[in-house]
């Protein structure tokens, strides 16, 4: 028989409240600090343009790009990564990070395949299509949002939570891709 101590009982009771507080804080941050620029034309156009290039790709083609990306991480030979980091949409994303006062740690946008289109910095992989940040947004619909768990970000050594949302074509309202915004966990509470 397992005996609960006061401390373990408190942590069992407090955990849902802690998670609910963070989810409420992430929802608030999304509504007050992200939604007003998430559908900016530079982002929508970048995703739409890449969708026209990647719409016919097989999973093998996507996997090959992801392998190439992973091989380029941390090397001087990084043409694929450079394309994602050196475009108008990526510049716009870095501007959002700068204007956040340290609250946003990273941002990247993905096409309909889940491939990176633009990013504020190098991600560990190019294909996000196998992760909840993409599967729980783009695949769900035009108004979908996903709040990730608070995790230690290896590159920044800071705890962050990811807020992901579907990006839509502004004329049709159809889902065209997704965006993930890493937010410093301490700044949420």
């Amino acid at each position: 028989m397992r005996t609960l101590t006061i401390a373990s009982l408190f942590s069992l009771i407090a955990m849902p409240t802690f998670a609910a507080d963070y989810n409420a804080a992430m929802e608030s941050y999304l509504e007050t600090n992200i939604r007003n620029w998430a559908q900016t034309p530079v982002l929508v156009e970048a995703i739409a343009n890449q969708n026209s290039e990647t719409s016919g790709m097989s999973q093998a083609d996507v996997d090959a790009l992801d392998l190439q990306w992973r091989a380029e991480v941390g090397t001087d030979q990084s043409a694929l990564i450079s394309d994602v980091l050196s475009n108008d949409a990526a510049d716009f994303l870095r501007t959002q990070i700068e204007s956040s006062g340290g609250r946003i740690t990273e941002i990247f946008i993905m096409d309909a395949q889940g491939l990176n289109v633009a990013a504020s910095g190098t991600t560990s992989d190019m294909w996000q299509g196998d992760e909840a940040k993409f599967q729980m947004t783009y695949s769900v619909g035009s108004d979908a949002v996903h709040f990730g768990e608070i995790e230690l970000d290896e590159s920044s050594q800071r705890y962050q939570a990811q807020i992901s949302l579907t990006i839509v074509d502004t004329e049709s309202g159809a889902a065209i891709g997704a965006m993930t915004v890493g937010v410093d966990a301490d700044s949420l509470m």
Side-chain angles (χ1 to χ4, degrees):
M1 179 174 200
R2 184 173 174 209
T3 305
L4 289 176
T5 64
I6 297 292
S8 63
L9 181 61
F10 178 73
S11 63
L12 288 174
I13 293 169
M15 189 56 93
T17 302
F18 178 76
D21 287 347
Y22 265 104
N23 282 347
M26 287 189 286
E27 177 70 34
S28 176
Y29 194 79
L30 169 66
E31 296 304 326
T32 59
N33 297 287
I34 298 171
R35 285 242 192 243
N36 62 341
W37 54 263
Q39 295 296 141
T40 300
V42 69
L43 301 181
V44 173
E45 290 169 14
I47 293 171
N49 290 339
Q50 186 162 308
N51 280 343
S52 67
E53 296 172 14
T54 61
S55 65
M57 283 188 167
S58 67
Q59 187 59 50
D61 295 332
V62 169
D63 291 342
L65 282 175
D66 194 49
L67 284 173
Q68 178 184 345
W69 180 282
R70 290 172 188 249
E72 289 182 6
V73 172
T75 69
D76 293 336
Q77 304 298 319
S78 58
L80 185 59
I81 292 172
S82 292
D83 287 346
V84 171
L85 298 181
S86 302
N87 59 55
D88 291 341
D91 292 341
F92 176 82
L93 297 176
R94 283 187 286 276
T95 300
Q96 298 312 306
I97 289 175
E98 290 170 20
S99 66
S100 78
R103 295 182 93 179
I104 296 176
T105 58
E106 67 176 340
I107 313 170
F108 51 94
I109 57 174
M110 301 152 269
D111 68 10
Q113 296 273 5
L115 292 166
N116 289 348
V117 174
S120 59
T122 304
T123 58
S124 59
D125 57 357
M126 182 177 195
W127 185 51
Q128 313 300 323
D130 61 340
E131 299 177 36
K133 66 186 78 166
F134 182 78
Q135 294 173 346
M136 301 301 292
T137 56
Y138 173 79
S139 301
V140 173
S142 60
D143 60 349
V145 173
H146 178 262
F147 299 126
E149 299 292 322
I150 297 170
E151 298 177 340
L152 179 64
D153 179 55
E154 292 298 323
S155 58
S156 68
Q157 290 297 301
R158 293 167 47 184
Y159 283 94
Q160 74 171 16
Q162 291 184 332
I163 300 171
S164 300
L165 63 151
T166 303
I167 301 296
V168 300
D169 177 274
T170 50
E171 291 180 19
S172 70
I176 61 169
M179 177 171 67
T180 295
V181 180
V183 180
D184 179 75
D186 289 337
S187 70
L188 289 171
M189 300 305 282

